[in-house]
Structures are given as C-alpha cells and as structure tokens.
Amino acid sequence: MIGSKRWFKVKTIPDEDNINNLNSDKNLYRDRDYLWKFWGVLPLYPYNKRRTVRQEVVKDTIWTFDQIQGVFYVVVPIRMTVIRLAQGGLLVYAPVAPTQECIKLVNELVALHGDVKYIILPTISGLEHKVFVGPFAREFSRARVFVAPGQWSFPLNLPLSWLGLPGRRTQILPQDSHETPFSDEFDYAILGPINLGLGKFGEVALFHKQSRTLMVTDTIVSVSVDPPAIIQLDPFPLLYNAQEKGGDTVPDSLQNRRKGWQRTALFAFYFRPSVVDVPPWKDIWQDAKNVSQRNLRNYFGFFPFRWKPDWEESYELLTRGGEIFVAPVLRTLILNRAPQVTINWANRVAKWDFARIIPCHFAAPDTATPQEFRRAFNFLEKGSGDSPDSNNKVKDDLQVLRDIDQGLNNWKIVPPARDYNT
C-alpha cells in the first residue's frame, strides 16, 4: 500500500549503486547537510530538505548539480552547471539551493580548479532560479555576479540588492559578450525581455566554446526514458503517480518508476492533460478508506485522478521520441507573444557549433545539433508545417493552457499572441 514502510526498504533498482556513487565521500553527509532554511520564500516540494547530485559531463571541465522541486508530487529536476575556466577558477550558470551538501560538492571542485569567479543568473522571470542566487553568491564572496538584463519583481520593482544579490559584485550582462571578462571562452545570446503584461520573460543561452556545450534555462527540454538520478534517490513521488487509484499496491520497480515519471511529465507540461479524469468525490473517498496506512505523505490515501487507457500516446506525442522541444507553456503563453524576436535569437544560437545542450530542467546533457535546436522553434513560423500542436490529441492536452491564455487575454493581462514577422 502507499505509505507502507516496505516502500523504503527496497534497494534492488537497476543502476542504484551508480546513483549512490555519483557524489564522492557520501558517508560524510548528514540530514542537516540537506537543509534549505529559506524554503518559505518559494515553498515548493521538497520544502526544507534538498538533496544534490553532482555529475561530470565533460571530464575535468563541466559538472551538473541537480536538485528537485515540484508541486505536490509533480517533481522535476532543477539544475546548476559549473564550468572550469581555462585560466583557473569556475563559472556557475543558474545556481541551485546552496545547502551544505551542495557547497561541499562545489568546494571539492574549488580545491582542484580554483575559486568560483563568475555566477550567472540567466533568467528574469524564473523565481525558482532567482531565489538561490543571493544566498549562493554569499557563499562565494569573491565571485562576480552577472544577471540577465530586464530583471523585475512583483508587486514592486525593487533594486537587485533588495532582492538579496550583493550590490557591489552584481552587474547586468552587457548585450555584447566581448565586454565580459570571460568572453575568450564563452559567447552568449540574450532572449528578450518579452513583454507579458504584468511581467517579462527573458533568458540567456551560454555557449562554452572549448567543450562545444550550450547551456539554456527553460526554452529547450527533453524527457529521458528513465527518471533522472536525483528523483530516484526518493522514488515515492514516482510511485505515487504510478497508481491507478488510491489504495493500489505499487511495487518499487524500474517499470513503475518509469510509469510514474511519464505521468509526472504529462502533469508538468500540461497541468491537466486530457488523458486524466477526476472521478466523483465519493469514489475518491472510498478508495482512500481502503488504504491501510494513511498519513500526510500519501495525502491520507487520496488520489483524485483516473488515467485513460491511451495516456501513453499523449506521452509519446509530447516527448517525440526523446527529441529536444520547447515546453508547451512557452509555446502557448510566452514565446508566441514575440515570435520574430524568438526566431532571431534561435538563429543566433544555431550559428554556434555546439554538440550538446544542458537545460536547467528534465534531461541533461542532450546530444543535439544546432539544426535540431533551430527546428524546435519552427512552430513560431507561419506555414512551417512543423508545429507539434497540430495533432488533435495534442490540441486536447493543451486545452487547459489555451483556456488560461484566453482568460489572460479576456482580462487584458497579457498582450495578444502574434504571427511571425509581426
């Protein structure tokens, strides 16, 4: 049953030993090393305790640091990337929560390669990224902080220092990358800011020339077959989403973890996909009563969803066989407000000779070409014939997002969507 203690005793999942060995000196870490005391600023799951998984992407050159975040049990990775500088020292792209574990893992790299010299906040709208930059910068007091232009806050537009960023060490990224102290090794392209009415969207794509690696924040994602390693450290959210109804027995197996991960992706991208029904309250209550051990962690047995038999088809249409793609939220609510600006940005990025992409969410690294990156934005071009939203089933899955878009338009909260070249 969900919530039973046997869920937490299983240790025979494929590759689990590899997961446990990702971080060196694992026995040195205790529960207090995972604590994040500022969780109340952005109260997302897992709240005050965040594990960190470090993985080496390019030997002695690039490392990713994954944590998790989510709403209820729709849990996805959030990722920081650290790059070794040729002249010594480290550059950090999109910091995550600086727990003691995270800082210890960074300091292991500092001991080998030199201090953190530069910290980049590559977004202007992603609070889940912005909230960590100030605390992270205070841990590395000699690092210079560069932030994407167009930063804003709601309801008042406050100075960056009031948002926790170190005033004397923080500056706006110039439009010309040659004006930065790391221009010999990196190029970047700034998207936006795109006007969204009450707010703005912007992102900085960063290209590391020597390793041919592109870093992006939210614009590009892909979904791996297996759940990311950071999520498999505690598979409970995956197994919760693998249920068919409250009270189901869900053994901890790789197959069920994958099932839960696929459904998590559908929730994360569509909010409420068309392949999910909400049963009558009396049925939800009856299923909850059948759960033998009801507690807060399993929401006292309540599971208010019923997955339709064809839900896996929606997943396959979303992920397109592992291709990189633009998330439905950005396609439906954001980038369509500035299609030409976005295409111009994508064209510039596609001129770089990268071989892999590291996004801040979902799978990483992705082996992808500039041509594949550019193709992901074809949906913005009128008559391109390459829109992922043209399939009738995808249209159904997007209905909630389109309803949100219509409501925002009716209330004149956001500017209308535009056609390419307008």
Side-chain angles (χ1 to χ4, degrees):
M1 293 292 184
I2 293 180
S4 63
K5 292 182 179 178
R6 71 179 182 84
W7 274 40
F8 307 104
K9 294 180 180 179
V10 175
K11 195 179 177 181
T12 57
I13 299 302
D15 296 327
E16 181 168 333
D17 289 338
N18 290 335
I19 293 171
N20 290 335
N21 289 330
L22 287 171
N23 296 341
S24 62
D25 298 326
K26 199 67 182 176
N27 293 332
L28 296 178
Y29 298 105
R30 305 175 185 178
D31 282 351
R32 66 171 178 265
D33 291 329
Y34 312 137
L35 292 180
W36 171 238
K37 62 182 178 179
F38 299 117
W39 68 274
V41 177
L42 188 64
L44 298 177
Y45 183 90
Y47 311 115
N48 68 333
K49 185 177 291 188
R50 286 177 172 251
R51 300 286 298 275
T52 304
V53 166
R54 184 185 71 201
Q55 293 182 274
E56 187 175 60
V57 176
V58 179
K59 186 172 175 55
D60 295 328
T61 303
I62 296 181
W63 302 263
T64 57
F65 290 67
D66 283 14
Q67 297 178 357
I68 62 170
Q69 66 177 25
V71 177
F72 299 112
Y73 287 135
V74 181
V75 176
V76 299
I78 180 169
R79 180 173 299 111
M80 168 177 80
T81 305
V82 177
I83 307 100
R84 178 178 62 83
L85 300 168
Q87 301 302 319
L90 303 168
L91 179 146
V92 174
Y93 179 90
V96 292
T99 62
Q100 290 187 41
E101 179 191 32
C102 178
I103 297 305
K104 287 178 182 179
L105 291 170
V106 174
N107 280 332
E108 289 179 3
L109 302 181
V110 169
L112 294 172
H113 306 295
D115 290 337
V116 173
K117 289 188 174 180
Y118 311 112
I119 298 170
I120 295 181
L121 170 60
T123 181
I124 66 172
S125 52
L127 185 57
E128 75 274 21
H129 300 287
K130 295 168 74 169
V131 72
F132 303 128
V133 178
F136 191 92
R138 286 195 291 273
E139 295 288 340
F140 299 96
S141 58
R142 287 184 285 185
R144 294 173 61 182
V145 181
F146 291 85
V147 303
Q151 295 293 324
W152 62 279
S153 58
F154 182 85
L156 296 176
N157 199 16
L158 301 173
L160 293 176
S161 59
W162 287 30
L163 299 177
L165 279 73
R168 295 182 179 179
R169 293 188 284 129
T170 301
Q171 65 185 88
I172 307 296
L173 270 174
Q175 291 292 331
D176 185 353
S177 62
H178 292 94
E179 297 177 15
T180 63
F182 45 83
S183 62
D184 287 347
E185 299 185 57
F186 296 88
D187 199 354
Y188 59 79
I190 301 171
L191 171 61
I194 296 173
N195 179 27
L196 300 176
L198 288 178
K200 296 176 286 185
F201 176 86
E203 177 169 323
V204 178
L206 182 70
F207 175 51
H208 184 233
K209 303 171 188 177
Q210 184 269 326
S211 67
R212 300 175 62 203
T213 301
L214 174 69
M215 275 73 68
V216 295
T217 312
D218 299 312
T219 46
I220 286 291
V221 292
S222 70
V223 181
S224 56
V225 174
D226 289 335
I230 183 63
I231 295 179
Q232 296 206 54
L233 290 179
D234 177 9
F236 190 94
L238 299 174
L239 301 178
Y240 181 85
N241 286 319
Q243 297 179 98
E244 298 304 325
K245 64 180 187 304
D248 276 354
T249 299
V250 183
D252 189 355
S253 66
L254 181 58
Q255 180 180 0
N256 283 329
R257 291 188 183 199
R258 285 176 172 172
K259 181 180 181 181
W261 174 237
Q262 291 169 358
R263 292 176 171 182
T264 295
L266 287 170
F267 275 131
F269 286 116
Y270 292 132
F271 298 169
R272 183 181 169 182
S274 66
V275 287
V276 167
D277 285 329
V278 177
W281 176 252
K282 63 180 180 64
D283 294 342
I284 298 172
W285 173 251
Q286 186 60 48
D287 290 340
K289 290 197 299 183
N290 293 331
V291 177
S292 62
Q293 295 188 34
R294 299 168 62 195
N295 51 53
L296 180 60
R297 195 174 198 218
N298 66 14
Y299 300 124
F300 301 100
F302 289 100
F303 185 76
F305 307 113
R306 292 290 186 274
W307 289 90
K308 297 179 182 179
D310 60 343
W311 69 268
E312 289 177 283
E313 183 183 351
S314 283
Y315 172 78
E316 294 298 333
L317 288 169
L318 169 69
T319 58
R320 304 179 72 173
E323 291 183 9
I324 59 173
F325 61 94
V326 177
V329 171
L330 269 71
R331 297 200 302 261
T332 308
L333 300 177
I334 297 176
L335 300 184
N336 55 349
R337 263 70 195 177
Q340 186 164 7
V341 169
T342 304
I343 286 295
N344 291 343
W345 174 80
N347 285 339
R348 180 178 173 189
V349 173
K351 291 179 180 179
W352 296 330
D353 182 29
F354 54 85
R356 69 179 63 82
I357 302 177
I358 301 178
C360 285
H361 302 285
F362 286 89
D366 291 310
T367 302
T369 65
Q371 294 74 28
E372 290 169 329
F373 174 89
R374 176 59 182 82
R375 189 163 58 243
F377 295 89
N378 281 354
F379 71 95
L380 289 168
E381 297 178 289
K382 192 173 182 179
S384 70
D386 195 23
S387 174
D389 304 337
S390 59
N391 181 280
N392 287 333
K393 192 170 187 60
V394 174
K395 290 179 180 178
D396 291 340
D397 286 326
L398 286 169
Q399 190 58 52
V400 168
L401 292 173
R402 287 182 167 149
D403 288 345
I404 293 172
D405 182 50
Q406 187 61 52
L408 294 173
N409 274 292
N410 290 344
W411 285 92
K412 300 187 184 303
I413 294 174
V414 299
R418 300 180 181 180
D419 291 328
Y420 184 61
N421 288 328
T422 63

